[in-house]
Amino acid sequence: MSVPRSMDKSSALEYINQMFPTEASLSGVEPLMQKIHGEIRRVDASILGAVRQQSNSGTKAKEDLAAATRAVEELMYKIREIKNKAEQSETMVQEICRDIKKLDFAKKHITTTITALHRLTMLVSAVEQLQVMASKRQYKEAAAQLEAVNQLCSHFEAYRDVPKITELREKFKNIKQILKSHVFSDFSSLGTGKETEETNLLQQLSDACLVVDALEPSVREELVKIFCNRELTSYRQIFEGAELAKLDKTERRYAWIKRRLRTNEEIWKIFPSSWHVPYLLCIQFCKLTRTQLEEILDNMKEKPDVGTLLLALQRTLEFEEELAEKFGGSSPAKETNHDTDDTERGPNFSQAVSDIKKKYEKKLAANQGSGTDETDGLKEFSVPGAGFNFRGIISSCFEPHLNVYVELEEKTLMDHLEKLVQEETWDTEEGSQTNILSSSMQVFLIIRRSLKRCSALTKNQTLFNLFKVFQKILKAYATKLFARLPKGGTGIVAAATGTDGQIKTSEKDERMICYIVNTAEYCHKTSGELAENIAKVIEPVFADKVDMSEVQDEYSAVITKSLITLVQGLETKFDIEMAAMTRVLWATLESVGDQSEYVNGINTIITSSIPILGTLLSPIYFQFFLDKLASSLGPRFYQNIFKCKQISETGAQQMLLDTQAVKTILLEVPSLAKQTSGAANYSKYVSREMSKAEALLKVILSPLDSVADTYRALLPEGTTSEFQRILELKGLKKADQQTILDDFNKHGPSIKHPSMASAVTIAPALPAVPAISSPATSAVAASREDVLARAAALGRGAATTGFKRFLALTEAAKDRKDGPFRKLFNP
């Protein structure tokens, strides 16, 4: 059994107990002790051997270290010996090469001296030869000799202070001056006719150009400048005279330079192409012509003739374009055709363009919505070649004087506009899909043509001034549309807008108003596109000022006024039926029957007008029309009840039936127009307003002892004067009214309770309000419920055929199972 080599006290006890668990096992103690003693002796022997081995290893390590030290010392000694020998070798080599270096330097100096003397000899000879060539005008040979002398002189830059070199350089400078004077003298005969008499003159001048190239660049510039000025001397003399210094002679100026370039083309070939002589001559011609034209325009006592001015400008632009093509240039950086064509597109409703559209865009977003993003890329060009841009160099001087052209364009556009409006039929062509007036498209067509004409002439201040003219034209057209609308107005909308009189509209008038709405929308959108296109065409400095927002506001106002006019026209038609309602003898009505004749009249008006409007108007503007119609007819019907004379119980029941019928007619308007998207708010508004009329009739139907409570419950926002008028409608005399009025005023004008007029028509029903636990409030709530129940029961009196129809119309509300107003129909 093995014994653990290390263990703590507790482990030793466990080990002993494990080895000798019983008393009988103690007999094995002696053999175990012997085994342990043997193990101890073995371990001691092992330790002793290890100690001896370690002692021997330490001695050997010291011996190895001593040997390594001796080896390092020997190595250092050898390195010092090698270094000494290397230094000795270097000294020996330097002594050997010292004489060789002296010889090498001597050779180098001798070679340089010989080369310099040789070049000096060549320079002296070349200068002498160049002097002879200059005196004999041997330009071709002199040009080559000039190049050689220039190269030789470059080798003596370091010897400028040497007298002989200074003398040669001064002599060379004088020779170049002589050559320059000879060349300039010979070139002075060019263009005088001598080139035809002396056949060798052109060749001599061609060789002289080689000399000029060999001289400094300033000589060439001076020669070309003198040549151009001499060529333009005759031009100055001709066109500064009284006869030709006129605007209508502008075309002859360009003919002169073209003829000059054409006739001298062969002669001017003597100039190297790198000199660009015709190009530089044209630049000087353009600058001189601009100066002369500016003087002519500034000195004119009267405004220039538009035709003459535009013809001169057109010929100038053509000439500039010819020069740009001839000498390298670019096409105009901006094109107008593809931009202005966009102004003839049809209308769409992809952007917010008016206050009406902003109001109803969100309402229709869930049902419809479309938009297109169009991007127009404009290609940029640069002027290659010599880098001078001929476009505008002369024509820009016309810019300050083009106001007469803008005035003529304005007069022409105004005349066209008047003619288009006079010829307008205010109807669309049969089969047209746009439902807009043809004159609007013609207006933008003539504007596009005017823009195209102007942008072909200028894209600076004049084009911006013409843009302002476009604004005037479009505003004038908006005024024409506005003036075409039927005048006058009546009703709530008319009172709010300050109009007077009545608007009577026929079916043709309603169509025309719809066309005006669509046309104004088209003009609103297209004017914005026109502004964008002009901003792309015009110079960048004016682009930020191109804005059509004022024009667009004008057309937004036309749209708003047109839609309100439609509502006012319907109001006028409803006036007859409202008057018929007040003429009915409601106090003597014997029984409740079918809906009254004035209701049938209202239905006829709606069914004849609404389908047309729904077909011609866009959903956005039809929704605006519906809202205005609802805000007008609902309150008017409510107020019209007060205009009636005494109303009996039977009369109130009949009127209640009529009210429900009118409400149904109004709720069916979106379906009738086939435009049901976004009609939910309209339906809620109609239901709320007509429910006020229903509540008023229920108050009239209520008994005298509860009429005040019923009024306060159903019409909580009512007034004392209105309540007094209700008592008059019930047929009460002044004396009988006073007691009820005193009781009404004693309890306050209204019960603070949610509006029954609105709550009756809102679906789903409002959630039930938890009852308040106090006895007093419970009693008040019970009293209110009782009042509401009795008020609702008033409308279920007669069992006639007409009233059965009314009960069918209220079936949906009767089926409600919860909400605070359930007892209105389920007492």
Side-chain angles (χ1 to χ4, degrees), residues 642 696 699 711 722-730:
F642 288 103
L696 174 61
V699 173
Y711 180 72
E722 190 177 87
F723 179 67
Q724 184 177 3
R725 178 58 184 154
I726 290 174
L727 296 179
E728 294 175 358
L729 291 175
K730 290 179 69 66

Side-chain angles (χ1 to χ4, degrees), residues 383-431:
V383 180
F388 187 84
N389 188 4
F390 284 98
R391 295 185 179 88
I393 180 62
I394 304 175
S395 57
S396 58
C397 73
F398 288 87
E399 193 73 34
H401 306 276
L402 287 175
N403 290 333
V404 290
Y405 162 68
V406 176
E407 293 170 0
L408 177 63
E409 284 285 354
E410 181 176 358
K411 182 179 183 303
T412 303
L413 290 173
M414 281 295 184
D415 292 343
H416 276 91
L417 177 63
E418 293 294 335
K419 183 179 179 181
L420 289 173
V421 173
Q422 291 176 2
E423 296 176 352
E424 179 59 69
T425 61
W426 304 101
D427 197 355
T428 60
E429 297 179 1
E430 186 175 354

